[in-house]
Protein backbone atom coordinates (compact mmCIF):
# COMPACT_ATOMS: atom_id res chain seq x y z
CA UNK A 1 0.00 0.00 0.00
CA UNK A 2 1.16 3.51 -0.76
CA UNK A 3 -0.45 5.01 2.37
CA UNK A 4 -0.53 8.79 2.13
CA UNK A 5 0.95 10.27 -1.03
CA UNK A 6 1.77 13.95 -1.42
CA UNK A 7 2.66 15.79 -4.59
CA UNK A 8 4.85 17.58 -5.35
CA UNK A 9 7.74 16.77 -3.00
CA UNK A 10 9.50 20.08 -3.63
CA UNK A 11 8.28 23.41 -4.98
CA UNK A 12 9.64 26.92 -5.33
CA UNK A 13 7.14 29.72 -5.86
CA UNK A 14 7.45 33.41 -6.39
CA UNK A 15 5.54 35.72 -4.09
CA UNK A 16 1.99 36.10 -5.32
CA UNK A 17 1.88 32.87 -7.30
CA UNK A 18 -0.73 30.26 -6.55
CA UNK A 19 -0.48 26.52 -6.31
CA UNK A 20 -2.28 23.45 -5.04
CA UNK A 21 -0.71 20.74 -2.93
CA UNK A 22 -2.21 17.35 -3.57
CA UNK A 23 -2.76 14.58 -1.06
CA UNK A 24 -4.27 11.14 -1.56
CA UNK A 25 -4.68 8.17 0.78
CA UNK A 26 -5.55 4.60 -0.12
CA UNK A 27 -6.50 3.35 3.37
CA UNK A 28 -10.20 4.26 3.18
CA UNK A 29 -9.77 6.70 6.05
CA UNK A 30 -12.51 9.16 6.91
CA UNK A 31 -10.45 12.03 8.31
CA UNK A 32 -7.69 13.96 6.60
CA UNK A 33 -5.46 16.79 7.76
CA UNK A 34 -3.00 19.40 6.54
CA UNK A 35 -0.16 20.51 8.79
CA UNK A 36 2.75 22.84 8.30
CA UNK A 37 6.12 22.61 10.02
CA UNK A 38 8.51 25.53 10.18
CA UNK A 39 12.20 24.94 10.87
CA UNK A 40 12.86 23.73 14.41
CA UNK A 41 9.20 23.73 15.35
CA UNK A 42 6.42 21.25 15.84
CA UNK A 43 3.58 20.69 13.40
CA UNK A 44 0.68 23.13 13.28
CA UNK A 45 -2.73 22.19 11.96
CA UNK A 46 -3.93 24.25 8.99
CA UNK A 47 -7.21 22.56 8.03
CA UNK A 48 -8.83 19.23 8.56
CA UNK A 49 -11.67 17.23 7.14
CA UNK A 50 -13.48 14.94 9.53
CA UNK A 51 -15.28 13.19 6.71
CA UNK A 52 -15.99 13.53 3.02
CA UNK A 53 -17.85 16.75 2.39
CA UNK A 54 -16.72 18.58 5.51
CA UNK A 55 -13.75 20.83 6.21
CA UNK A 56 -12.80 22.94 9.23
CA UNK A 57 -10.13 25.40 10.16
CA UNK A 58 -7.25 24.41 12.33
CA UNK A 59 -4.75 26.57 14.19
CA UNK A 60 -3.25 28.50 11.24
CA UNK A 61 -5.76 28.62 8.32
CA UNK A 62 -5.11 32.14 7.03
CA UNK A 63 -3.82 32.21 3.47
CA UNK A 64 -5.00 28.70 2.65
CA UNK A 65 -8.03 26.97 1.22
CA UNK A 66 -8.81 23.28 1.08
CA UNK A 67 -10.98 20.92 -0.89
CA UNK A 68 -12.02 17.42 0.11
CA UNK A 69 -12.49 16.19 -3.43
CA UNK A 70 -13.63 12.73 -2.41
CA UNK A 71 -12.85 10.29 0.35
CA UNK A 72 -9.33 9.70 -0.97
CA UNK A 73 -8.17 13.20 -1.81
CA UNK A 74 -7.66 16.39 0.19
CA UNK A 75 -5.96 19.33 -1.48
CA UNK A 76 -4.46 22.50 -0.04
CA UNK A 77 -4.38 25.68 -2.10
CA UNK A 78 -2.29 28.78 -1.68
CA UNK A 79 -4.02 31.55 -3.61
CA UNK A 80 -1.27 34.16 -3.32
CA UNK A 81 1.90 32.73 -1.85
CA UNK A 82 3.90 34.75 0.67
CA UNK A 83 7.43 34.16 2.03
CA UNK A 84 5.86 33.42 5.43
CA UNK A 85 4.34 30.31 3.88
CA UNK A 86 7.76 28.81 3.27
CA UNK A 87 7.48 25.57 5.19
CA UNK A 88 7.20 21.82 5.00
CA UNK A 89 3.60 20.72 4.52
CA UNK A 90 2.38 17.36 5.75
CA UNK A 91 -0.85 15.64 4.90
CA UNK A 92 -2.25 12.98 7.19
CA UNK A 93 -5.25 10.69 7.41
CA UNK A 94 -6.89 8.69 10.18
CA UNK A 95 -9.67 6.10 10.40
CA UNK A 96 -12.91 6.98 12.11
CA UNK A 97 -12.46 4.58 14.96
CA UNK A 98 -8.85 5.43 15.72
CA UNK A 99 -8.82 9.13 15.14
CA UNK A 100 -5.61 9.72 16.98
CA UNK A 101 -3.68 7.10 15.06
CA UNK A 102 -2.82 9.13 12.03
CA UNK A 103 -0.69 8.25 9.05
CA UNK A 104 1.45 10.96 7.51
CA UNK A 105 2.79 11.59 4.06
CA UNK A 106 6.43 12.40 3.43
CA UNK A 107 5.85 16.10 3.09
CA UNK A 108 6.04 18.87 0.49
CA UNK A 109 8.92 21.28 0.91
CA UNK A 110 7.72 24.67 -0.27
CA UNK A 111 9.90 27.75 -0.65
CA UNK A 112 8.36 31.11 -1.50
CA UNK A 113 10.85 33.68 -2.75
CA UNK B 1 -7.11 20.21 24.00
CA UNK B 2 -4.99 19.36 27.02
CA UNK B 3 -1.38 20.43 26.77
CA UNK B 4 1.74 18.39 27.37
CA UNK B 5 5.18 19.22 28.69
CA UNK B 6 8.27 17.37 27.54
CA UNK B 7 12.00 17.93 28.08
CA UNK B 8 13.55 19.56 25.01
CA UNK B 9 16.26 16.95 24.60
CA UNK B 10 17.66 13.71 25.98
CA UNK B 11 20.62 11.48 25.28
CA UNK B 12 20.70 7.71 25.47
CA UNK B 13 23.43 5.14 24.96
CA UNK B 14 22.89 2.64 22.18
CA UNK B 15 21.48 -0.61 23.50
CA UNK B 16 20.13 0.94 26.66
CA UNK B 17 16.51 1.75 27.44
CA UNK B 18 15.34 5.24 26.54
CA UNK B 19 12.74 6.65 28.93
CA UNK B 20 10.96 9.73 27.63
CA UNK B 21 8.73 11.55 30.12
CA UNK B 22 5.63 13.59 29.45
CA UNK B 23 3.49 15.67 31.79
CA UNK B 24 -0.19 16.15 30.98
CA UNK B 25 -1.64 17.36 34.27
CA UNK B 26 -4.84 18.77 32.71
CA UNK B 27 -5.80 15.62 30.84
CA UNK B 28 -9.50 14.85 30.95
CA UNK B 29 -11.14 11.49 31.41
CA UNK B 30 -11.88 10.85 27.75
CA UNK B 31 -8.46 11.83 26.43
CA UNK B 32 -5.88 9.34 25.28
CA UNK B 33 -2.12 9.76 25.36
CA UNK B 34 -0.46 9.33 21.96
CA UNK B 35 3.18 9.15 21.06
CA UNK B 36 4.60 9.93 17.64
CA UNK B 37 8.13 10.37 16.42
CA UNK B 38 9.66 12.24 13.52
CA UNK B 39 12.93 11.10 12.06
CA UNK B 40 14.95 13.75 10.25
CA UNK B 41 12.06 15.80 8.81
CA UNK B 42 10.15 12.78 7.53
CA UNK B 43 6.44 12.59 8.21
CA UNK B 44 5.62 11.76 11.86
CA UNK B 45 5.18 8.10 12.67
CA UNK B 46 2.69 6.71 15.16
CA UNK B 47 4.29 4.75 18.00
CA UNK B 48 1.72 3.88 20.64
CA UNK B 49 -1.27 5.19 22.58
CA UNK B 50 -3.12 4.46 25.80
CA UNK B 51 -5.90 5.62 28.07
CA UNK B 52 -5.02 4.49 31.58
CA UNK B 53 -3.48 1.05 31.37
CA UNK B 54 0.10 0.42 30.41
CA UNK B 55 0.53 -0.57 26.79
CA UNK B 56 3.21 -2.40 24.84
CA UNK B 57 3.73 -3.04 21.17
CA UNK B 58 6.60 -4.02 18.94
CA UNK B 59 8.06 -0.54 19.05
CA UNK B 60 7.73 0.64 22.62
CA UNK B 61 5.99 0.54 25.99
CA UNK B 62 3.81 3.26 27.45
CA UNK B 63 3.54 3.68 31.20
CA UNK B 64 0.74 5.97 32.43
CA UNK B 65 0.60 6.99 36.08
CA UNK B 66 -2.47 6.08 38.06
CA UNK B 67 -3.65 9.70 38.22
CA UNK B 68 -2.98 9.97 34.45
CA UNK B 69 -1.13 13.22 34.89
CA UNK B 70 2.07 11.93 33.38
CA UNK B 71 3.39 9.13 31.23
CA UNK B 72 6.66 7.62 30.06
CA UNK B 73 7.51 6.19 26.68
CA UNK B 74 10.08 3.42 26.90
CA UNK B 75 12.20 2.24 24.00
CA UNK B 76 13.68 -0.92 25.52
CA UNK B 77 16.86 -1.20 23.46
CA UNK B 78 17.55 2.08 21.72
CA UNK B 79 19.43 2.03 18.42
CA UNK B 80 20.97 4.82 16.39
CA UNK B 81 17.90 4.71 14.15
CA UNK B 82 15.75 5.77 17.10
CA UNK B 83 17.34 9.22 17.04
CA UNK B 84 14.34 11.44 16.37
CA UNK B 85 11.96 14.02 17.81
CA UNK B 86 9.35 12.35 20.01
CA UNK B 87 5.96 13.96 20.47
CA UNK B 88 3.58 13.28 23.34
CA UNK B 89 0.01 14.28 22.49
CA UNK B 90 -3.28 14.02 24.34
CA UNK B 91 -6.42 13.78 22.27
CA UNK B 92 -9.99 12.65 22.64
CA UNK B 93 -11.74 10.30 20.28
CA UNK B 94 -14.54 12.27 18.63
CA UNK B 95 -14.28 11.09 15.07
CA UNK B 96 -17.22 13.15 13.89
CA UNK B 97 -15.13 16.25 14.49
CA UNK B 98 -11.96 14.85 13.08
CA UNK B 99 -9.52 13.90 15.74
CA UNK B 100 -7.10 16.79 15.71
CA UNK B 101 -3.60 16.07 16.91
CA UNK B 102 -1.92 19.12 18.45
CA UNK B 103 1.86 18.80 18.28
CA UNK B 104 4.14 20.57 20.71
CA UNK B 105 7.90 20.96 20.36
CA UNK B 106 8.60 17.37 21.44
CA UNK B 107 11.78 15.83 22.84
CA UNK B 108 14.86 15.40 20.68
CA UNK B 109 16.26 11.98 21.54
CA UNK B 110 19.88 11.43 20.55
CA UNK B 111 21.05 7.84 20.70
CA UNK B 112 24.82 7.66 20.90
CA UNK B 113 27.17 4.78 20.25
Amino acid sequence: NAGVTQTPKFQVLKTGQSMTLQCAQDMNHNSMYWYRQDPGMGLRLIYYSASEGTTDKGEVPNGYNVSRLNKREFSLRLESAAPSQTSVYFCASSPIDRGGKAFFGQGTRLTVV
Amino acid sequence: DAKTTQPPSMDCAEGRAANLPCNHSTISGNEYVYWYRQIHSQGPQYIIHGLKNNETNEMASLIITEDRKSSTLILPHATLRDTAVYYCIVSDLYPEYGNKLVFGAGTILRVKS
Side-chain angles (χ1 to χ4, degrees):
Chain A
N1 283 342
V4 178
T5 303
Q6 293 183 233
T7 54
K9 289 185 170 54
F10 300 92
Q11 184 71 48
V12 178
L13 286 180
K14 293 182 179 179
T15 298
Q17 286 186 318
S18 62
M19 79 161 295
T20 299
L21 281 63
Q22 306 287 352
C23 175
Q25 52 92 9
D26 62 1
M27 296 172 282
N28 200 36
H29 287 170
N30 281 69
S31 300
M32 297 186 73
Y33 313 82
W34 276 106
Y35 288 86
R36 63 176 286 176
Q37 185 174 34
D38 298 330
M41 298 182 66
L43 283 75
R44 291 184 293 170
L45 183 64
I46 306 172
Y47 270 94
Y48 67 101
S49 171
S51 60
E52 186 178 356
T54 68
T55 60
D56 284 286
K57 295 178 181 179
E59 183 184 357
V60 287
N62 291 344
Y64 305 95
N65 288 301
V66 291
S67 295
R68 184 75 182 267
L69 304 170
N70 47 55
K71 193 171 186 179
R72 290 187 64 248
E73 298 173 288
F74 189 38
S75 63
L76 178 72
R77 182 161 179 84
L78 288 70
E79 291 292 350
S80 179
S84 60
Q85 294 178 304
T86 293
S87 190
V88 180
Y89 291 84
F90 290 101
C91 176
S93 69
S94 65
I96 194 168
D97 59 345
R98 283 290 183 268
K101 186 176 180 180
F103 296 81
F104 285 79
Q106 289 304 298
T108 294
R109 284 150 181 80
L110 175 67
T111 302
V112 183
V113 297
Chain B
D1 292 338
K3 294 185 177 179
T4 63
T5 303
Q6 298 178 253
S9 65
M10 295 180 64
D11 291 338
C12 177
E14 188 178 21
R16 304 298 294 268
N19 297 287
L20 292 89
C22 180
N23 287 319
H24 32 79
S25 59
T26 60
I27 192 171
S28 60
N30 61 338
E31 288 183 313
Y32 284 67
V33 180
Y34 289 84
W35 283 85
Y36 282 75
R37 73 180 183 183
Q38 187 174 26
I39 297 174
H40 191 55
S41 299
Q42 296 177 17
Q45 176 191 24
Y46 165 86
I47 301 173
I48 199 167
H49 76 283
L51 183 63
K52 54 183 179 181
N53 297 322
N54 298 338
E55 302 287 345
T56 296
N57 63 19
E58 65 279 5
M59 292 182 67
S61 295
L62 174 61
I63 308 298
I64 302 174
T65 58
E66 191 170 345
D67 63 7
R68 302 207 326 123
K69 293 184 177 181
S70 64
S71 60
T72 301
L73 179 74
I74 301 172
L75 307 179
H77 305 287
T79 70
L80 297 178
R81 289 176 294 180
D82 292 322
T83 293
V85 179
Y86 287 77
Y87 297 99
C88 170
I89 301 165
V90 294
S91 184
D92 54 22
L93 282 179
Y94 290 121
E96 62 269 28
Y97 297 120
N99 198 350
K100 299 173 287 183
L101 296 171
V102 179
F103 288 79
T107 296
I108 300 172
L109 175 67
R110 300 183 185 92
V111 181
K112 300 183 176 181
S113 58

